Each structure stands twice: as structure tokens, then as C-alpha cells.
């Protein structure tokens, strides 16, 4: 076997490249390095970067991403989240679901947000280091203003009160909990400090003794969650972060919940949009993702006329004329050509870190990459739009890994595509069976 040599022209570090390849091998969307795969997204960049800049300047943005199953909605939002993180945003990705994160219970959405909160420096949950950095910033500001060591605690309290004044109008317990957290730390009571911070993050069932010591009561409710989000944005800004990027993924699952819960969730979404546009959440970029059936169907957005009006976007023109500044973005999904281009991109990325890069490029040449794309699409009933996950999993795990490791492996001679039901997700299984997700009758 030949040995790999560093490729100085490769735009990817070994760590980023490996993270991407490992995720694709598992059949997952990578959590980082998505700029390496972002083919066809350049037409969105200017408008979205301008929106991120507006958020940095104190604005707020709401965006709805629309695409069929397999069109790359999760990929798109993680790609945009990476761009936000590079600008200094904190990021949180939340999966909406009836059992784990029902949208009509904003206190649960807020809790998931704090659990999944991440920054360029800290993995989830980054809530504690963010709060600690905020108190450090308050101390630095107090000292810079001339406070002595003896005066520091009082000056920090004054700054805390003034900077959370607007938040305290809606959620006074947010500032109260922060004071309780700081007091517990000062007293060396780590258990109480951790419990109070958990309460601040929306966790239920925090010990009553910890809540009493911090001067707060009960658990966070639906309306308090909005105030706490406002407080979190203030803390993020003052601790050096330029904004908060939040994704509510798979909102189309609302179509499959009980009608009463669905109506509450749609109204909660309408309320969130109105709060964002009212200016209550400076520094927030909020994204939802859903299928066209969710936006256009009677079991989704159209069920609530005020919400439908807020999300209305003209998609009657050709997709190439879509307005990326509009409230809704349409992801066109994969065609055979774009799937092949993505496969070639992955092959080249893999080869850049391969043990046998020349053999990888020769045996998995562009023609073979295209043949494999056609074969996977055919196995899924010709529905190329839902093929990317399985296609990339097969390309990396079944073909490129073997070419790289075995001198005598030739994918044209030694590999035949096999697809078993247990490796398909529900959407792929429906496609393979000749159905679409929207063909399934649901008992509503």
C-alpha cells in the first residue's frame, strides 16, 4: 500500500475531514465541517450573512426552511449554524417531538435549548460557562469603572440589576436565580449552585432547599420561558457572544399530534414569530424546518390563518428566482446531477486523507460515483430526493473504505449494492416500497 502524503491544497484539516467522513459512514448528518460539503448553497450566502450581521447589530430574524424529506434541511441548518458560530454566536438545535419537546410547551423548548446550547469553545451544555463568563465580565466592568475589591460585590449587583432591568419586567426570577447562583458559589456550596443553575436552565424538580436558598419558587412555565430566553440573550451578549442561533427542526411532526395539542403548538409558533418581530429578542436568529405539506396543508400552518399569513411566501416562480431574503426558503432537493456532484466532493475529501489516495480516485472515479448514485436511487424507487443519506453511507462505508484498505478490491468487480430494510429510515423505506411519507393515512 502506498502511504498518504499531506495535501497542502486541501481546505480541510485532518480533524474536520475525519469528523465529516465518520458521520457519513454512520449515515448521519455531520455536526461540523459542513462547509466542505455545501454544494449549491452559495446562492443563499449573501442574504443569510446579511441577516446574521443584522442580528449581531441588535436585530432579530425568523426564518422558515421548507423542503421535502431528504432535501437536506438538517444539513442546511447545521451549515448555517456553523457560519453563525464562526461569527461568535451560541447555537442550539432542537428536535420538535410530541413526547420529548412539544412545541406548545415553551418551557420544554427553552429547557432543550439550554441543554443543547453550544459555542465555538464549549460543547453542550454551555450554559454554565456562559453564565460564569457573564459574571466575570460584570466584575471586569466594575473594576474598569473604578470599583475597589471591597466594593466589587456591590457594584456587580448594581450592574446585574441594571442590565437585567428589562428582563425583570417579564421574568424577575431570572435575575433572582442568578444572584442565588453567585451567592452559592461565594459560599462554596457547589451542590446548591448547580441546582440553581439547573433551575435557571428550565429543569423541573429542582430540590426545594436549593430553590428556597435562591429565593425562587416552583418550575418554569410557558410564559416565563419567553422571559428567560430574553434573559439568556442578555447574558450571552454581555459575555461576549454576538447572538443566539436556534433551530426548531422537524416542525412538520405537529401534523401527527392530537388536534388540540396541534392548535396550541401552531399558536405558540405564531406567538414566537410575533415576539421576534416585535424586537423583544435582540440577538436571536430563529429557524424552523418543515415539509411543504406542513406549510401548505390543512393539518399544518394553514390550520391557523394568522400563522399562514405570517409565513406566506411566493413559490410560483422557478426555484432559481426564489428570494433568499423572504421569510421562507425553499430547498429544491437533490437531482441525479447534484447527487453525483456531492458524491464526487465526498470522494475527493476522502482521498485527501486516504492511505491510498490515487487508488481511491482511480477505482471510484466520477463514472463509478455516478453509477452508484443511480443504483441507490433505483433501490429507493427512483426517488433521488431521499437518497443522499443512504448513498453517502454506501459510498464511504462500502466502497471508499474498502478501496483504501484492500489492494485488490475493485468496486466494479467485487461489490454489488445491497439495501436491507433494517438500514433504512422510515422515509427511505416508504420510497423503496413505492410510497411517500405524505401518502400514509394518519388517525387525527
Amino acid at each position: 500500500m502506498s502511504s498518504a502524503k499531506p495535501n497542502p491544497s486541501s481546505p480541510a484539516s485532518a480533524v474536520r475531514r475525519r469528523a465529516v467522513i465518520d458521520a457519513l459512514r454512520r449515515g448521519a448528518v455531520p455536526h461540523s465541517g459542513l462547509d466542505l460539503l455545501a454544494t449549491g448553497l452559495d446562492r443563499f450566502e449573501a442574504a443569510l450573512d446579511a441577516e446574521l450581521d443584522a442580528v449581531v447589530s441588535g436585530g432579530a430574524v425568523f426564518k422558515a426552511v421548507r423542503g421535502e424529506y431528504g432535501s437536506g434541511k438538517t444539513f442546511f441548518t447545521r451549515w448555517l449554524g456553523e457560519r453563525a458560530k464562526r461569527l461568535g454566536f451560541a447555537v442550539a438545535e432542537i428536535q420538535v417531538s410530541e413526547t420529548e419537546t412539544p412545541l406548545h410547551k415553551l418551557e420544554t423548548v427553552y429547557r432543550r435549548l439550554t441543554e443543547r446550547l453550544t459555542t465555538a469553545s464549549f460543547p453542550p451544555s454551555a450554559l454554565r460557562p456562559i453564565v460564569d463568563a457573564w459574571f466575570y465580565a460584570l466584575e471586569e466592568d466594575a473594576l474598569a469603572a473604578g470599583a475597589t475589591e471591597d466594593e466589587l460585590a456591590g457594584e456587580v449587583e448594581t450592574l446585574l440589576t441594571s442590565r437585567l432591568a428589562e428582563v425583570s419586567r417579564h421574568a424577575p426570577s431570572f435575575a433572582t436565580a442568578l444572584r442565588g447562583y453567585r451567592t452559592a458559589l461565594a459560599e462554596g456550596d457547589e451542590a446548591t449552585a448547580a441546582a440553581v443553575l439547573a433551575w435557571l436552565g428550565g429543569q423541573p424538580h429542582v430540590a426545594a432547599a436549593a430553590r428556597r436558598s435562591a429565593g425562587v419558587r416552583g418550575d418554569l412555565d410557558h410564559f416565563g420561558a419567553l422571559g428567560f430566553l430574553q434573559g439568556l440573550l442578555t447574558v450571552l451578549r454581555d459575555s461576549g457572544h454576538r447572538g443566539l442561533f436556534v433551530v426548531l427542526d422537524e416542525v412538520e411532526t405537529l401534523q401527527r399530534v392530537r388536534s388540540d395539542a396541534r392548535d396550541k403548538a401552531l399558536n405558540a409558533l405564531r406567538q414566537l414569530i410575533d415576539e421576534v418581530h416585535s424586537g423583544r429578542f435582540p440577538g436571536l436568529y430563529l429557524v424552523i424546518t418543515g415539509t411543504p405539506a406542513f406549510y401548505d396543508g390543512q393539518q399544518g400552518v394553514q390550520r391557523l390563518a394568522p400563522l399562514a399569513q405570517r409565513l406566506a411566501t411566493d413559490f410560483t416562480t422557478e426555484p432559481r428566482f426564489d428570494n433568499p431574503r423572504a421569510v421562507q426558503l425553499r430547498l429544491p432537493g437533490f437531482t441525479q446531477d447534484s447527487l453525483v456532484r456531492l458524491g464526487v466532493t465526498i470522494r475527493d475529501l476522502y482521498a485527501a486523507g486516504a492511505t491510498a489516495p490515487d487508488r481511491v480516485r482511480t477505482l471510484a472515479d466520477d463514472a463509478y460515483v455516478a453509477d452508484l448514485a443511480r443504483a441507490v436511487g433505483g433501490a429507493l424507487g427512483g426517488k433521488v430526493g431521499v437518497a443522499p443519506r443512504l448513498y453517502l453511507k454506501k459510498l464511504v462505508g462500502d466502497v471508499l473504505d474498502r478501496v483504501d484498505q484492500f489492494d485488490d478490491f475493485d468496486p466494479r468487480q467485487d461489490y454489488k449494492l445491497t439495501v436491507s430494510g433494517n438500514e433504512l429510515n422510515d422515509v427511505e423505506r416508504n420510497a423503496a416500497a413505492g410510497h411517500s411519507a405524505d401518502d400514509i393515512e394518519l388517525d387525527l
Side-chain angles (χ1 to χ4, degrees):
M1 295 186 182
S2 62
S3 60
K5 296 180 180 180
N7 182 358
S9 65
S10 174
S13 70
V15 173
R16 295 177 72 223
R17 184 170 58 238
R18 184 166 58 247
V20 169
I21 296 299
D22 286 350
L24 298 178
R25 185 183 289 116
R26 299 192 307 271
V29 176
H31 280 277
S32 62
L34 294 172
D35 55 307
L36 305 174
L37 314 181
T39 57
L41 298 182
D42 51 324
R43 65 195 182 98
F44 297 118
E45 287 182 359
L48 297 177
D49 285 349
E51 291 178 346
L52 290 170
D53 288 342
V55 171
V56 169
S57 299
V61 169
F62 173 84
K63 208 77 171 179
V65 177
R66 158 196 193 101
E68 296 288 359
Y69 293 102
S71 63
K73 296 187 294 295
T74 299
F75 178 95
F76 176 86
T77 55
R78 288 185 182 169
W79 166 78
L80 184 54
E82 274 200 330
R83 296 179 79 83
K85 195 178 288 186
R86 285 199 296 270
L87 288 173
F89 282 62
V91 174
E93 178 186 319
I94 304 163
Q95 300 291 324
V96 174
S97 73
E98 179 182 12
T99 54
E100 296 295 320
T101 314
L103 189 56
H104 67 283
K105 294 185 177 181
L106 292 182
E107 67 274 26
T108 305
V109 175
Y110 172 80
R111 181 165 83 246
R112 297 286 179 253
L113 189 162
T114 61
E115 289 171 350
R116 289 157 173 72
L117 192 62
T118 182
T119 69
S121 302
F122 296 102
S125 166
L127 180 61
R128 181 161 190 166
I130 286 169
V131 169
D132 289 345
W134 185 64
F135 277 116
Y136 178 79
L138 294 186
E139 291 177 355
E140 290 294 297
D141 289 349
L143 291 170
T148 66
E149 288 296 331
D150 291 340
E151 298 168 337
L152 187 58
E155 291 301 316
V156 167
E157 169 63 25
T158 299
L159 287 173
L160 182 153
T161 301
S162 65
R163 295 188 184 180
L164 293 177
E166 180 62 24
V167 174
S168 294
R169 288 179 53 227
H170 304 282
S173 56
F174 187 86
T176 303
L178 283 170
R179 291 187 186 96
Y181 171 72
R182 182 172 171 80
T183 298
L185 283 183
E187 295 173 350
D189 188 348
E190 171 59 32
T192 296
V196 173
L197 193 69
W199 187 88
L200 191 75
Q203 296 295 331
H205 315 307
V206 171
R211 285 187 274 118
R212 276 196 305 272
S213 72
V216 296
R217 301 179 186 176
D219 293 331
L220 187 64
D221 62 17
H222 177 93
F223 297 103
L226 294 175
F228 274 38
L229 174 58
Q230 193 176 1
L232 179 60
L233 289 165
T234 300
V235 168
L236 282 165
R237 183 187 64 237
D238 287 352
S239 60
H241 297 88
R242 306 182 78 190
L244 174 62
F245 180 89
V246 177
V247 179
L248 301 178
D249 203 10
E250 299 183 0
V251 178
E252 70 269 2
T253 57
L254 295 181
Q255 298 171 102
R256 300 192 285 274
V257 304
R258 295 190 325 271
S259 60
D260 59 336
R262 185 189 318 135
D263 290 343
K264 290 178 183 177
L266 292 171
N267 192 57
L269 182 56
R270 192 270 314 156
Q271 182 184 6
L272 269 175
I273 294 171
D274 287 350
E275 295 281 13
V276 169
H277 290 157
S278 75
R280 183 177 178 184
F281 300 126
L284 177 64
Y285 196 121
L286 178 62
V287 181
I288 67 169
T289 73
T291 59
F294 168 70
Y295 293 111
D296 301 338
Q298 292 305 312
Q299 300 304 327
V301 167
Q302 300 304 315
R303 190 178 176 95
L304 182 63
L307 179 61
Q309 180 266 320
R310 286 156 176 76
L311 295 179
T313 304
D314 178 18
F315 290 117
T316 59
T317 57
E318 291 184 38
R320 65 194 179 99
F321 295 125
D322 283 358
N323 176 15
R325 299 172 181 170
V327 66
Q328 266 194 68
L329 288 183
R330 171 169 57 178
L331 299 183
F334 282 90
T335 64
Q336 182 67 28
D337 288 344
S338 62
L339 192 62
V340 172
R341 287 198 301 273
L342 180 58
V344 169
T345 298
I346 296 302
R347 189 270 323 278
D348 291 343
L349 186 68
Y350 187 103
T355 303
D358 292 340
R359 192 165 68 240
V360 167
R361 293 189 183 95
T362 300
L363 293 180
D365 58 13
D366 292 4
Y368 179 81
V369 169
D371 288 344
L372 183 64
R374 279 189 289 272
V376 174
L380 297 178
K383 296 181 179 177
V384 176
V386 302
R389 186 199 74 86
L390 183 63
Y391 168 57
L392 296 177
K393 183 176 187 289
K394 295 292 186 181
L395 177 62
V396 172
D398 288 0
V399 176
L400 299 181
D401 279 345
R402 286 169 168 155
V403 170
D404 192 36
Q405 295 178 86
F406 303 108
D407 291 343
D408 56 346
F409 178 81
D410 182 341
R412 287 182 173 84
Q413 303 297 325
D414 303 312
Y415 175 71
K416 181 180 179 181
L417 175 69
T418 58
V419 176
S420 61
N422 60 12
E423 65 180 325
L424 301 178
N425 61 31
D426 290 343
V427 175
E428 293 161 348
R429 194 173 294 112
N430 289 331
H435 302 294
S436 75
D438 294 325
D439 288 333
I440 301 173
E441 289 292 328
L442 300 171
D443 182 9
L444 302 172

